Amino acid sequence: MKICLVRPATITTADAAGEDSAPPFGCAYLAGSVRHVGHEVSIVDALGLGLDRYSSVPELPTGLRHGLEDDETIALIPGDVQIIGVTCMFSLEWTFTRDLIISIRKRFPDATIVVGGEHITALPAYCMKDCPAIDFCVAGEGEQTLVDLVTTLDKGLPVFNVPGIFYRQGGKIVASQARKRIRELDTIPRPAWDLAPIRNY
């Protein structure tokens, strides 16, 4: 399957400018994992591609948007993508990430949208209610969960057998069995840094 992982622009303040400039570790590890099992994957790192770009945030008087604008981010998503993964690490960024996801859905009405990250893990059901554009939430560590979900969707199998996800069924938001944490860290494939603008950092 063709997968694109999106790391949105971040929300920061003038006092903290630059402190958010960390490489997209989550996307790189997820990309490495799904590529390891044979899927085609790309990364759109809106922060890394716009490290020198800051803009004001009307909703937050002291806030700054760091990175590409949403329309620029969406324009970089391959047109033939089948699954789009979006990360949201901090609750402060949720409303901005939600708006990006809604815009992605308008541009890619047939794609499957999967979201993950610390904010999603903390409030998966809330995020799905707040953003109907989301198809799946990944709770907790996403490497094996995303691999299992993508493989299941590719084969057309029922998703309830994939541990660690929230999804919609019959108009309700349901959760699969919780996934155990990864103990054998050496089993995780290397991060796909070749797909990210790592030299920008």
Side-chain angles (χ1 to χ4, degrees):
M1 298 194 80
K2 295 185 177 181
I3 304 154
C4 181
L5 303 176
V6 178
R7 192 252 194 112
T10 60
I11 304 299
T12 185
T13 64
D15 290 339
E19 293 181 6
D20 58 336
S21 300
F25 287 97
C27 287
Y29 271 102
L30 292 170
S33 295
V34 294
R35 184 168 67 179
H36 183 72
V37 295
H39 298 287
E40 183 178 332
V41 61
S42 60
I43 293 175
V44 176
D45 178 11
L47 173 62
L49 293 170
L51 279 174
D52 59 344
R53 301 266 302 276
Y54 288 91
S55 58
S56 61
V57 181
E59 301 93 325
L60 299 171
T62 61
L64 291 173
R65 178 191 183 91
H66 189 188
L68 302 181
E69 297 295 327
D70 284 353
D71 59 342
E72 296 174 299
T73 301
I74 295 169
L76 294 173
I77 300 173
D80 58 351
V81 70
Q82 295 169 282
I83 297 177
I84 302 171
V86 183
T87 183
C88 183
M89 293 300 292
F90 303 105
S91 296
L92 171 66
E93 297 173 340
W94 166 243
T95 57
F96 303 94
T97 302
R98 178 197 62 199
D99 292 346
L100 171 63
I101 294 168
I102 292 171
S103 296
I104 289 173
R105 170 58 72 206
K106 291 178 181 177
R107 172 65 180 81
F108 298 94
D110 298 324
T112 297
I113 297 180
V114 183
V115 298
E118 291 299 324
H119 175 77
I120 306 301
T121 296
L123 298 166
Y126 166 78
C127 291
M128 294 198 79
K129 290 177 183 177
D130 195 42
C131 186
I134 295 171
D135 294 306
F136 297 96
C137 284
V138 172
E141 297 168 324
E143 287 81 4
Q144 190 58 51
T145 302
L146 185 60
V147 166
D148 290 350
L149 178 59
V150 170
T151 301
T152 297
L153 293 174
D154 190 28
K155 294 180 178 180
L157 299 174
V159 297
F160 61 78
N161 289 323
V162 178
I165 62 171
F166 283 71
Y167 59 99
R168 304 178 198 278
Q169 186 178 67
K172 296 182 179 180
I173 297 170
V174 296
S176 66
Q177 180 181 359
R179 182 178 292 275
K180 295 180 180 179
R181 294 184 66 84
I182 300 172
R183 299 295 180 184
E184 300 296 331
L185 299 183
D186 289 343
T187 63
I188 303 174
R190 299 285 294 175
W193 289 125
D194 58 299
L195 301 179
I198 191 63
R199 293 188 181 277
N200 290 4
Y201 291 93

